[in-house]
Amino acid sequence: MPNIETLTPAAGHTDSAGLRAYDPDQLARCAVDGAQPWWRRTACVEALVGRVPQARVGELLACVRDTEDSGTVRKALLELLSDRAELLPWLRHEDRRREEAYGMREAVLQARGALGDRTAAAELATLAFSHWQTRRAVGEAGLDALMDRHGVEAVLAELGGGRPEERAVAVRVRDRAGEDVTDALADPDPEVAHLAQSLLTCPDRLRARLAEAPTADAALWAAYALHRLTGDVAQTRAAYEALGRPRVEVDGLDEEIRHAIVHEYGHECEKQSDPRWRIEALCTEPPRPPDEERQLALATAALAAAGLAPRTPLSCGDAHRQGGGTYHVIGYGEGGRSEVFISTLGRFAGDHEDDPAARAALEAAGFRWIDGPTGAIRVTGLGVYYFGAREPLDVHTLLFYWQD
């Protein structure tokens, strides 16, 4: 006869069907037992869906409220017990904003939405506007629950619409109701406009909007959405020309570097980015990619000729032992402790110390050295993901980009 331990012998090895058929009282006892591993307790919670024993509800709720207990177990229990109205005062307490367990604050907001707490609407809207898909899903689920309980208009009234995230909720609601949201392409916040363009599906409506757009940005978003739907580059370029080839001007950023950056990052830039970067990436020819093998051989030979004893080049991913990016690393000197970077985006080279010997050798070989002032130029309006952030980055980071 199997027991809970044999049904959950190790993390990731759960007999889910067996647990679902197991005695719910025993599952509940295991779920609140702090001596059991978190993964076994969580599996027991998941097996209790739809059959929570009433006699154990108090213990389960106490476990949810225990901030010293496993966050993973508490989140699972909160989802299981999200229909328990007696949880609401605890959920609304200001201490919940200081919850440290990963994902717990989001789970609390989702539970408040499930319980019909309209005062959670603003925070749920903020979650629904997040760059992170899991947070967006929580925010949208919580808002949907509120709308199911109180009606769409009541929730929108609770939000007010003053913040971009609140306007984004209104755009989603209108689109879901079958309304035309092309007017939202003129929203002053690029994230709201980006959302609106992602929802549009009618090329003819977008062509009409392009012809009568109230702002240059609205026209750019219409052209971008139209390109997404049709893939018609000629049409997109015609709109780009008609608008005067608009672009984000960055002080000190020359055309060679700009061209490399816009075609590496402009197509997949973050949603808050200025639409001019996206259109420029679509409407200009990409630079010819360098022959990386030849480029690395040339750099290695130049460093060797300068007596700098270069080592075998490594991709930045191999150099960091994980991830990848847009450059190779060549160690040189005693023990290979010094390094130069060779970009995969063009003839760009650099380092962190601005070593004059390495610079002279590589410049003589035809590379362009990215010095401190040039590398420090921030490429404004272009949001690029970088270790959890999505803000504009400087030239050095973009040309020599690594992400784990």
Side-chain angles (χ1 to χ4, degrees):
M1 179 75 178
N3 56 32
I4 291 175
E5 285 73 18
T6 58
L7 292 170
T8 56
H13 297 277
T14 296
D15 182 347
S16 299
L19 280 182
R20 284 194 298 270
Y22 207 78
D23 174 45
D25 189 76
Q26 293 297 317
L27 291 172
R29 289 179 62 183
C30 180
V32 300
D33 184 358
Q36 294 289 342
W38 64 266
W39 44 266
R40 177 171 292 146
R41 296 171 65 196
T42 303
C44 289
V45 174
E46 292 168 350
L48 284 171
V49 173
R51 58 194 193 110
V52 178
Q54 186 61 35
R56 298 289 178 185
V57 168
E59 295 171 72
L60 296 171
L61 290 174
C63 186
V64 171
R65 297 186 182 106
D66 184 359
T67 57
E68 299 300 317
D69 207 335
S70 163
T72 303
V73 175
R74 293 172 66 219
K75 283 184 290 180
L77 281 168
L78 191 51
E79 183 175 352
L80 177 71
L81 302 169
S82 60
D83 60 342
R84 308 298 303 197
E86 61 265 46
L87 266 177
L88 194 52
W90 179 83
L91 292 168
R92 295 177 67 175
H93 195 279
E94 63 180 19
D95 286 350
R96 300 291 73 72
R97 291 181 173 84
R98 294 192 286 270
E99 286 273 358
E100 295 182 355
Y102 179 77
M104 191 64 186
R105 279 176 283 187
E106 291 87 347
V108 165
L109 283 171
Q110 185 169 3
R112 288 172 64 187
L115 287 168
D117 179 13
R118 282 192 293 178
T119 66
E123 291 172 277
L124 286 167
T126 299
L127 274 185
F129 202 55
S130 172
H131 289 274
W132 299 101
Q133 192 279 329
T134 53
R135 292 178 182 173
R136 285 200 307 273
V138 168
E140 291 172 8
L143 288 167
D144 287 347
L146 288 179
M147 291 176 190
D148 289 343
R149 177 79 66 94
H150 301 289
V152 170
E153 294 306 320
V155 175
L156 292 180
E158 188 77 41
L159 293 173
R163 300 182 302 153
E165 48 264 56
E166 294 167 351
R167 298 197 300 275
V169 174
V171 169
R172 283 196 199 90
V173 167
R174 290 173 54 205
D175 177 70
R176 194 180 299 172
E179 295 183 30
D180 176 19
V181 297
T182 53
D183 61 313
L185 297 177
D187 193 283
D189 188 280
E191 294 189 54
V192 178
H194 181 272
L195 169 66
Q197 71 79 27
S198 73
L199 298 172
L200 297 171
T201 58
C202 178
D204 289 340
R205 191 171 287 166
L206 280 165
R207 290 188 186 97
R209 189 66 179 181
L210 183 57
E212 58 187 29
T215 66
D217 279 12
L220 288 167
W221 284 117
Y224 183 74
L226 194 55
H227 187 278
R228 173 177 57 80
L229 293 173
T230 67
D232 188 339
V233 177
Q235 178 180 244
T236 308
R237 287 179 175 168
Y240 179 59
E241 294 290 339
L243 290 166
R245 297 188 179 186
R247 69 182 202 170
V248 179
E249 297 296 346
V250 179
D251 289 344
L253 187 66
D254 65 53
E255 293 304 308
E256 182 182 22
I257 296 175
R258 180 190 189 98
H259 208 45
I261 287 172
V262 74
H263 283 281
E264 177 67 18
Y265 303 101
H267 294 282
E268 301 296 333
C269 57
E270 295 296 324
K271 61 183 181 177
Q272 80 273 23
S273 299
D274 191 303
R276 287 161 182 78
W277 287 114
R278 300 175 187 274
I279 296 299
E280 185 177 344
L282 291 173
C283 295
T284 58
E285 291 296 327
R288 188 174 184 176
D291 180 333
E292 292 181 24
E293 186 174 339
R294 178 182 177 279
Q295 189 168 254
L296 293 173
L298 183 62
T300 302
L303 293 169
L308 295 177
R311 294 193 165 192
T312 301
L314 296 173
S315 71
C316 58
D318 288 341
H320 287 284
R321 296 192 177 92
Q322 60 184 334
T326 65
Y327 67 101
H328 289 84
V329 179
I330 302 178
Y332 67 94
E334 184 180 350
R337 285 193 292 267
S338 296
E339 295 178 339
V340 292
F341 310 137
I342 307 297
S343 179
T344 62
L345 304 186
R347 62 185 188 101
F348 311 111
D351 63 7
H352 290 306
E353 284 76 39
D354 206 13
D355 180 356
R359 176 175 183 168
L362 291 171
E363 285 183 333
F367 288 90
R368 179 176 175 184
W369 189 264
I370 303 301
D371 60 18
T374 301
I377 295 169
R378 193 158 299 276
V379 183
T380 54
L382 182 66
V384 176
Y385 180 83
Y386 189 62
F387 291 97
R390 293 172 165 83
E391 300 304 316
L393 300 174
D394 60 38
V395 163
H396 192 280
T397 304
L398 292 168
L399 293 180
F400 310 111
Y401 179 94
W402 171 71
Q403 181 66 53
D404 65 8

